[in-house]
């Protein structure tokens, strides 16, 4: 009944960004490669990510996750050496390096079939990603309590709204992004609850949900959930400086959905089974395999890539996938000068991790490097793992020319407590984003409300006039020089953080024109009257839509031109299309 | 931390924990138990946890009968605030050959003479007891309704907690690296965390027992052999008894929460301390169980793992002091059925260590029997 295992040159487990990138390298090198994924479509987490990605152009910044998944899929599909089995869950990694796979055929109209398959190869890339963490609190098993990623899958993959009113736990990027997508799906988000005193995710994401009216309660956590058959409400309470709950601060919030975005843990079971040396590194999400820069684990021929090697980002996952794929191909003798081929990717990875938002990862990798003593030489513990080629965050920019070229943002800038704890920029920060008064009167100018150092640069790529200068380090904040700006709003349409706006104070004697990004349906049409909202989502007036610009590129964000009473042009940052009006034009 | 003890127990499985408790219950004040990992991390926490009184040797019948009596009241006996989950659904031993059936007939006669209510069954009667049993090729069976299975973690925990309440110190993650011998007598135990002076040691380290014995100059003929086992998803109650076939080497029980636990023996399993697992085990066990108990074919497997049998030549343990009078006591070599004997072995070894007469005469299970070729062969084991 049981035949022997099928043999390949290489096996990749997981068809997320990491696994697909690894498969692409292996396939290009000519290795007969099998890619396995338990899902029915390849792409991993990307298939549900309808938002635009950060990072640089190399990792397809400004592209939506789903689109990246499609591009990766096509790249791999074009390689004849690569075979992909979907609906195929890897169950075990055995000591003879055979892995068992549960395969399912579930075609409509056919009888469902399940069977066990065994495969083996001299090299493996394990890219199984990570799983969502759960929180302990009373009644956490009520229906209606989801991982944020699960809610995202329901909405964006299956087209099902998880409920009507959501409380989100966790103000990291996942909590913020999923909250925003829930709003886009027409679900009310009652609050985002975050135990830390500061918002962990990118502040541009926080600002986005904040101006849609969602309060972000930092230093708060869930006390308990309520409901009989299903969730009806949540009690939250405040935490003091020592993270202890403060009795008497309980707030009841009615909700039928509670989403937990409290972190991810690497899906490391197969690594344990393979006998890889593991280390517990909280900064990387938990138990991770000890590995060097070549992404090979302590078990020769077993490589890792992506979140399973340390929870990070899709951008890093792709680069790691390339490195692991190249390393595995080199092991097979299919890549000659690995060091030379890998150098570019290594530099890429180091630059992604160079800024302040990569600080945690660097710390985690340094800890891990401390464990690799005896394995391949790596950076000594305590120092960042970036090779010398990485642009250091503090590298001085080229000296500014005498003319008014945009000055790059200063690294290491401190953010106001108001911004980091609520997502609303402080007055001083807003002040700093405005051109001088005389320039403001001269015509339209951009306002870039991007104060935090994050690895992102599409605004520069979008700007044709040079008003937004190049980023000497992708982690710096944008350098904007109003003198060159013509108010074209291309940056507004391209910024994945929706942090760019264009203001024309001279539109009419009493009105200014605001060009803002708008990602909700229905889109308003010219002539419609819309509500004007401030940075907290509060109603501050009404305005008239002058134009809606939709670029031919699917990737661009629609830009709405709306009139705003002159005195409110510094306050208004969002619009709401009233239920009865607008939208008809769609 | 203590540096002296009246007795040191090495090994935190059922044998060590039960003996530690019985020593303390009998008044020994200063007992330390050393476990190199966590309690029940050895064979105890990896076993099928079946308890039967149907054996081919008088000594096993007596020990297991005494254990069943203890298991029946163990929650109270140990003051355990949990439940050891003793499920007395019976044990159905299958005979797929005339020879096995003839052995069962002998066993049942012996068992009945000792007050064990086992009986022989025709294939039809066996099917009444386990309606989903495939009786093709079945010659007959032996059944005892008092047998059953329990939760090995809870049993170990119950013993360890009761022992600690009586003053036993349990040191987890503390490995004994050897015995300190002085003038042919035990003087202490070496551990990674320092020496512990003691005149009395119980070597209850299962398959590791020869390693400790060696440091006392004793050659203990026990070899480790890997045995694999698996658990399925929980399903509605279907099967009350443990079903076991010596011919096919398989056993299968359903736990109270609905999961099936099953295993299959294989003489080709690696010897030593390998606790890995193989994919062909899945095929072997699935093939046999799906044939023997057809409805189980549709149930999903959740996990497989393995443990190590501490095998002796006659499939019987060594319950002895060796060299005689030196203070090094051995309770190991259980050959795959030591969990069910645990409560009784605890009493026997405590009595021996205290210089008292054990409740059951186990002198035949001495170490010298192998050299003298006086084996106590147990025919009825997987
Ligand atoms: C809401 C959200 C927003 C995000 N936003 C961004 C962003 O803006 N920019 C960015 O760079 N990153 C972002 N990320 C992070 C990014 O999605 C992940 O870091 C990335 O997907 C990790 O890639 P991966 O290939 O390692 O794992 P995954 O994408 O998780 O893929 C792993 C794959 O392995 C499969 N698998 C797992 N176990 C098995 C098994 N036993 N057998 C078979 N298959 C298996 C899974 O089905 C899955 O397809 C976001 C993540 C989330 C959840
Ligand atoms: C797959 C399988 C199925 C089984 N099914 C059954 C069944 O259905 N019924 C039944 O009765 N029996 C069964 N058995 C047998 C049963 O599990 C054992 O006989 C019994 O658990 C032995 O218990 P023990 O305490 O003597 O040994 P163990 O449970 O092995 O305990 C020995 C302990 O000593 C520790 N140790 C070892 N060396 C040292 C050291 N140097 N220092 C400190 N600590 C040390 C180990 O970590 C271990 O925890 C099965 C066994 C296996 C493997
Ligand atoms: S509005 Fe146009 S010119 Fe001005 S910064 Fe943006 S893209 Fe550049
Ligand atoms: S302003 Fe530039 S750097 Fe900031 S989020 Fe937008 S595109 Fe990225």
């Amino acid at each position: 009944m049981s035949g022997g295992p099928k043999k390949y040159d290489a096996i990749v487990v997981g068809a997320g960004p990491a696994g697909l990138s690894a498969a692409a390298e292996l396939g290009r090198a000519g290795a007969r490669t099998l890619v396995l994924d338990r899902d029915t479509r390849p792409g991993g987490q990307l298939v549900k990510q309808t938002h635009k990605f950060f990072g640089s152009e190399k990792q397809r910044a400004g592209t939506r996750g789903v689109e990246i998944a499609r591009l990766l899929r096509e790249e791999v599909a074009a390689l004849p050496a690569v075979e992909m089995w979907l609906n195929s869950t890897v169950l075990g990694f055995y000591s003879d390096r055979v892995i068992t796979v549960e395969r399912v055929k579930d075609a409509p109209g056919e009888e469902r079939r399940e069977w066990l398959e065994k495969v083996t190869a001299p090299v493996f890339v394990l890219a199984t990603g990570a799983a969502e963490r759960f929180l302990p609190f009373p009644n956490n098993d009520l229906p209606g309590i989801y991982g944020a990623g699960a809610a995202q899958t329901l909405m964006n993959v299956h087209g099902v709204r998880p409920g009507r009113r959501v409380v989100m736990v966790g103000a990291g990027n996942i909590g913020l992004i999923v909250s925003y997508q829930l709003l886009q799906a027409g679900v009310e988000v009652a609050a985002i609850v975050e135990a830390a005193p500061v918002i962990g995710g990118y502040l541009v994401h926080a600002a986005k949900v904040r101006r849609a009216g969602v309060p972000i309660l930092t230093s708060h956590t869930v006390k308990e959930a309520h409901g009989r058959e299903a969730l009806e409400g949540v009690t939250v309470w405040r935490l003091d400086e020592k993270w202890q709950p403060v009795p008497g601060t309980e707030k009841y919030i009615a909700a039928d959905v509670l989403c937990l975005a409290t972190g991810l843990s690497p899906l490391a079971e197969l690594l344990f089974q393979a006998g890889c040396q593991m280390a517990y590194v909280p900064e990387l999400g938990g138990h991770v395999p000890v590995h060097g820069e070549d992404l090979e684990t302590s078990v020769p021929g077993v490589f890792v890539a992506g979140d399973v090697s340390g929870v990070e980002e899709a951008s890093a996952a792709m680069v790691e996938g390339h490195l692991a794929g190249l390393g595995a191909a080199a092991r097979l003798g299919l890549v000659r000068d690995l060091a030379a081929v890998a150098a570019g990717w290594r530099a890429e990875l180091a630059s992604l991790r160079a800024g302040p938002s990569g600080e945690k990862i660097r710390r985690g990798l340094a800890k891990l490097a401390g464990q690799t003593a005896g394995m391949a030489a790596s950076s000594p513990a305590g120092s960042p793992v970036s090779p010398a080629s990485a642009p250091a965050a503090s590298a001085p920019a080229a000296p500014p020319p005498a003319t008014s070229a945009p000055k790059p943002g200063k690294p290491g800038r401190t953010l106001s407590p108001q911004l980091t704890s609520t997502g609303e920029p402080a007055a001083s920060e807003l002040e700093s984003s405005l051109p001088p008064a005389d320039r403001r009167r001269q015509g339209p100018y951009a306002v870039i409300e991007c104060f935090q150092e994050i690895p992102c640069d599409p605004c520069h790529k979008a700007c044709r006039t040079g008003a937004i200068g190049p980023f000497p380090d992708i982690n710096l904040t944008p350098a904007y020089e109003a003198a060159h700006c013509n108010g074209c709003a291309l940056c507004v349409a391209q910024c994945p953080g929706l942090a760019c706006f264009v203001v024309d104070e001279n539109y009419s004697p009493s009105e200014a024109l605001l060009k803002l990004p708008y990602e909700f349906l229905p889109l308003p049409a010219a002539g419609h009257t819309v509500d004007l909202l401030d940075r907290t989502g509060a109603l501050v007036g009404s305005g008239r839509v002058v134009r809606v610009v939709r670029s031919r590129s699917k990737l661009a964000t629609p830009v709405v031109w709306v009139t705003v009473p002159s005195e409110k042009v510094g306050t208004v940052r969002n619009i709401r299309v009233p239920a009865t009006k607008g939208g008809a034009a769609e | 931390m203590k540096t002296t003890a009246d007795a040191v127990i090495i090994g935190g499985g059922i044998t060590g924990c039960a003996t530690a408790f019985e020593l303390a219950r009998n008044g020994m004040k200063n007992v330390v138990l050393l476990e190199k990992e966590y309690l029940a991390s050895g064979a105890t926490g990896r076993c099928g946890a079946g308890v039967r009184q149907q054996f081919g040797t008088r000594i096993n019948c007596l020990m297991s009968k005494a254990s069943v009596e203890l298991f029946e009241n163990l929650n109270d006996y140990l003051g355990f605030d949990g439940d050891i989950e003793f499920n007395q659904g019976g044990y159905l031993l299958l005979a797929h050959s005339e020879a096995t059936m003839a052995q069962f007939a002998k066993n049942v006669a012996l068992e009945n003479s000792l007050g064990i209510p086992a009986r022989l069954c025709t294939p039809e009667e066996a099917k009444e007891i386990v309606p989903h049993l495939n009786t093709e090729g079945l010659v007959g069976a032996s059944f005892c309704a008092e047998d059953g299975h329990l939760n090995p973690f809870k049993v170990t925990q119950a013993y360890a907690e009761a022992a600690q309440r009586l003053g036993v110190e349990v040191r987890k993650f503390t490995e004994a690296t050897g015995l300190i011998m002085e003038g042919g007598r035990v003087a202490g135990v070496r551990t990674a965390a320092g020496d512990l002076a003691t005149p009395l040691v119980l070597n209850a380290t299962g398959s590791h027992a020869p390693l400790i014995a060696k440091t006392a100059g004793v050659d203990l003929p026990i070899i480790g052999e890997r045995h694999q086992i698996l658990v399925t998803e929980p399903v509605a109650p279907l099967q009350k008894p443990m079903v076991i076939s010596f011919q096919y080497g398989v056993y299968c029980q359903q736990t109270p929460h609905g999961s099936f636990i099953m295993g299959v023996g294989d003489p080709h399993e690696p010897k030593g301390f390998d606790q890995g697992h193989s994919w062909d085990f899945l095929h072997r066990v699935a093939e046999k169980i799906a044939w023997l108990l057809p409805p189980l074919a549709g149930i999903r497997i959740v996990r497989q793992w393995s443990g190590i049998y501490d095998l002796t030549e006659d499939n019987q343990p060594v319950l002895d002091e060796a060299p005689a009078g030196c203070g090094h006591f051995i309770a190991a070599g259980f050959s795959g059925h030591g969990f069910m004997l645990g409560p009784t072995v605890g009493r026997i070894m405590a009595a021996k260590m205290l210089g008292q007469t054990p409740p059951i005469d186990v002198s035949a299970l001495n170490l010298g029997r192998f050299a003298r070729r006086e084996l106590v062969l147990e025919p009825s084991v997987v």
Side-chain angles (χ1 to χ4, degrees), chain A residues 405-442:
Chain A
K407 286 187 215 52
K410 280 196 283 308
R413 127 187 216 170
T414 30
L415 301 168
S416 73
Q418 171 176 318
L419 177 58
T420 57
S421 67
T422 66
E424 302 155 30
S428 59
E429 280 153 337
L430 293 176
E431 186 66 33
S432 74
S433 67
L434 290 178
D438 53 337
R439 167 64 184 83
R440 283 187 249 162
R441 281 188 299 272
Q442 280 165 16

Coordinates of all heavy atoms in Angstrom, one line a residue, chain A residues 405-442:
Chain A
A405 N 17.4 72.8 -3.1 CA 17.0 71.4 -3.3 C 16.4 70.9 -2.0 O 16.8 71.4 -0.9 CB 18.3 70.6 -3.6
P406 N 15.5 69.9 -2.1 CA 14.9 69.4 -0.9 C 15.9 68.9 0.1 O 16.8 68.2 -0.3 CB 14.0 68.3 -1.4 CG 13.9 68.4 -2.9 CD 15.1 69.2 -3.3
K407 N 15.7 69.2 1.3 CA 16.6 68.7 2.3 C 16.1 67.4 2.9 O 14.9 67.4 3.2 CB 16.8 69.7 3.5 CG 17.6 70.9 3.1 CD 17.9 71.7 4.4 CE 17.9 73.2 4.1 NZ 16.8 73.8 3.4
P408 N 16.9 66.4 2.9 CA 16.4 65.1 3.5 C 16.0 65.3 4.9 O 16.5 66.1 5.6 CB 17.5 64.2 3.3 CG 18.8 65.0 3.0 CD 18.3 66.3 2.5
G409 N 15.0 64.6 5.3 CA 14.5 64.6 6.7 C 15.6 64.3 7.6 O 16.5 63.5 7.3
K410 N 15.6 64.9 8.8 CA 16.7 64.6 9.7 C 16.4 63.2 10.4 O 15.3 63.0 10.8 CB 16.7 65.7 10.8 CG 17.4 66.9 10.3 CD 17.8 67.9 11.4 CE 16.7 68.7 12.1 NZ 15.8 69.5 11.3
P411 N 17.5 62.4 10.4 CA 17.2 61.1 11.1 C 17.1 61.3 12.6 O 17.6 62.3 13.2 CB 18.5 60.3 10.7 CG 19.5 61.3 10.4 CD 18.8 62.5 9.9
G412 N 16.5 60.3 13.3 CA 16.5 60.3 14.7 C 15.6 61.4 15.3 O 15.7 61.8 16.4
R413 N 14.6 61.9 14.5 CA 13.8 62.9 15.0 C 12.8 62.4 16.0 O 12.3 61.3 15.9 CB 13.1 63.5 13.8 CG 11.6 63.7 13.8 CD 11.3 64.1 12.4 NE 10.2 65.1 12.5 CZ 9.8 65.8 11.4 NH1 10.4 65.7 10.3 NH2 8.7 66.6 11.5
T414 N 12.5 63.2 17.1 CA 11.6 62.7 18.1 C 10.2 63.1 17.7 O 9.9 64.1 17.2 CB 11.9 63.3 19.5 OG1 12.5 64.6 19.3 CG2 12.8 62.4 20.3
L415 N 9.3 62.2 18.0 CA 7.9 62.4 17.7 C 7.1 62.8 18.9 O 7.5 62.4 20.0 CB 7.3 61.1 17.1 CG 8.0 60.5 15.9 CD1 7.6 59.1 15.6 CD2 7.7 61.4 14.7
S416 N 6.1 63.6 18.7 CA 5.4 64.1 19.9 C 4.6 62.9 20.6 O 4.1 62.0 19.9 CB 4.4 65.1 19.5 OG 3.3 64.5 18.8
P417 N 4.5 63.0 21.9 CA 3.7 61.9 22.6 C 2.3 61.9 22.1 O 1.7 60.8 22.0 CB 3.7 62.4 24.1 CG 4.9 63.4 24.2 CD 5.0 64.0 22.8
Q418 N 1.7 63.0 21.7 CA 0.3 63.0 21.2 C 0.3 62.1 19.9 O -0.6 61.3 19.8 CB -0.1 64.4 20.9 CG -1.5 64.5 20.1 CD -2.0 65.9 19.9 OE1 -1.9 66.7 20.8 NE2 -2.5 66.1 18.7
L419 N 1.2 62.3 19.0 CA 1.2 61.5 17.8 C 1.4 60.0 18.1 O 0.6 59.2 17.6 CB 2.3 62.0 16.9 CG 2.5 61.3 15.5 CD1 1.2 61.3 14.7 CD2 3.7 61.8 14.7
T420 N 2.3 59.7 18.9 CA 2.6 58.3 19.1 C 1.6 57.6 20.0 O 1.4 56.4 19.9 CB 4.0 58.1 19.8 OG1 4.0 58.8 21.0 CG2 5.1 58.5 18.9
S421 N 0.8 58.3 20.7 CA -0.2 57.7 21.6 C -1.6 57.7 21.0 O -2.5 57.0 21.4 CB -0.2 58.2 23.0 OG -0.6 59.5 23.0
T422 N -1.9 58.7 20.1 CA -3.2 58.8 19.5 C -3.3 58.7 18.0 O -4.3 58.5 17.4 CB -3.9 60.2 19.9 OG1 -3.2 61.2 19.2 CG2 -3.9 60.4 21.4
G423 N -2.2 58.9 17.3 CA -2.2 58.9 15.9 C -2.5 60.3 15.3 O -2.5 60.5 14.1
E424 N -2.7 61.3 16.2 CA -3.0 62.7 15.7 C -1.7 63.5 15.9 O -1.2 63.6 17.0 CB -4.1 63.3 16.6 CG -5.4 62.6 16.5 CD -6.2 62.9 17.8 OE1 -6.1 64.0 18.4 OE2 -6.9 62.0 18.2
P425 N -1.2 64.1 14.8 CA 0.1 64.9 14.9 C -0.2 66.1 15.9 O -1.3 66.6 15.9 CB 0.3 65.3 13.5 CG -0.6 64.6 12.6 CD -1.7 64.0 13.5
A426 N 0.9 66.5 16.6 CA 0.8 67.7 17.4 C 0.9 68.9 16.5 O 1.4 68.9 15.4 CB 1.9 67.6 18.5
A427 N 0.5 70.1 17.1 CA 0.6 71.3 16.4 C 1.9 71.6 15.8 O 2.1 72.0 14.7 CB 0.1 72.5 17.3
S428 N 3.0 71.3 16.6 CA 4.3 71.6 16.2 C 4.7 70.8 14.9 O 5.4 71.2 14.0 CB 5.3 71.4 17.3 OG 5.2 70.0 17.7
E429 N 4.2 69.5 14.9 CA 4.5 68.7 13.8 C 3.8 69.2 12.5 O 4.4 69.2 11.5 CB 4.1 67.2 14.1 CG 5.2 66.6 15.0 CD 4.7 65.4 15.9 OE1 3.4 65.4 16.2 OE2 5.5 64.6 16.3
L430 N 2.5 69.6 12.7 CA 1.8 70.1 11.6 C 2.5 71.3 11.0 O 2.6 71.5 9.8 CB 0.3 70.4 12.0 CG -0.4 69.1 12.4 CD1 -1.8 69.5 12.9 CD2 -0.5 68.2 11.2
E431 N 2.9 72.2 12.0 CA 3.6 73.4 11.6 C 4.8 73.1 10.7 O 5.0 73.7 9.6 CB 4.0 74.1 12.9 CG 4.6 75.5 12.7 CD 3.6 76.5 12.2 OE1 2.4 76.3 12.6 OE2 4.0 77.3 11.4
S432 N 5.5 72.1 11.1 CA 6.7 71.7 10.4 C 6.5 71.2 9.0 O 7.3 71.2 8.1 CB 7.6 70.7 11.2 OG 6.9 69.5 11.1
S433 N 5.2 70.8 8.7 CA 4.9 70.2 7.4 C 4.4 71.3 6.4 O 4.2 71.0 5.3 CB 3.9 69.1 7.6 OG 2.6 69.6 8.0
L434 N 4.3 72.5 6.9 CA 3.8 73.6 6.0 C 4.9 74.4 5.4 O 5.9 74.7 6.1 CB 2.9 74.5 6.8 CG 1.6 73.9 7.3 CD1 0.8 74.9 8.1 CD2 0.7 73.4 6.1
P435 N 4.8 74.8 4.2 CA 5.8 75.7 3.6 C 5.6 77.1 4.2 O 4.6 77.4 4.9 CB 5.4 75.8 2.1 CG 4.2 74.9 1.9 CD 3.7 74.4 3.2
P436 N 6.6 78.0 4.0 CA 6.5 79.3 4.6 C 5.3 80.0 4.1 O 4.8 79.8 3.0 CB 7.8 80.0 4.0 CG 8.6 78.9 3.4 CD 7.8 77.7 3.2
A437 N 4.8 81.0 4.9 CA 3.5 81.7 4.6 C 3.5 82.3 3.2 O 2.5 82.2 2.5 CB 3.3 82.7 5.7
D438 N 4.6 82.9 2.8 CA 4.6 83.6 1.5 C 4.4 82.5 0.3 O 3.7 82.7 -0.6 CB 5.8 84.4 1.2 CG 7.1 83.6 1.5 OD1 7.0 82.6 2.2 OD2 8.2 84.0 0.9
R439 N 5.0 81.4 0.5 CA 4.9 80.3 -0.5 C 3.4 79.8 -0.6 O 2.9 79.5 -1.6 CB 5.9 79.2 -0.2 CG 5.6 77.9 -1.0 CD 5.8 78.1 -2.5 NE 5.5 76.9 -3.3 CZ 4.3 76.5 -3.6 NH1 3.2 77.3 -3.3 NH2 4.1 75.5 -4.4
R440 N 2.8 79.8 0.6 CA 1.5 79.2 0.7 C 0.5 80.1 -0.2 O -0.4 79.6 -0.8 CB 1.0 79.2 2.1 CG 1.6 78.0 2.9 CD 0.9 77.9 4.2 NE 1.9 78.2 5.3 CZ 1.6 78.5 6.5 NH1 0.3 78.6 6.9 NH2 2.5 78.8 7.4
R441 N 0.7 81.4 -0.1 CA -0.2 82.3 -0.9 C 0.1 82.2 -2.4 O -0.7 82.6 -3.1 CB 0.0 83.7 -0.4 CG -0.7 84.0 1.0 CD -0.6 85.4 1.3 NE 0.8 85.9 1.5 CZ 1.4 85.9 2.7 NH1 0.9 85.3 3.7 NH2 2.7 86.4 2.7
Q442 N 1.2 81.7 -2.8 CA 1.6 81.7 -4.2 C 0.9 80.7 -5.1 O 0.9 80.8 -6.3 CB 3.1 81.5 -4.4 CG 3.9 82.7 -4.1 CD 5.3 82.5 -3.9 OE1 5.8 81.4 -4.2 NE2 6.1 83.4 -3.3

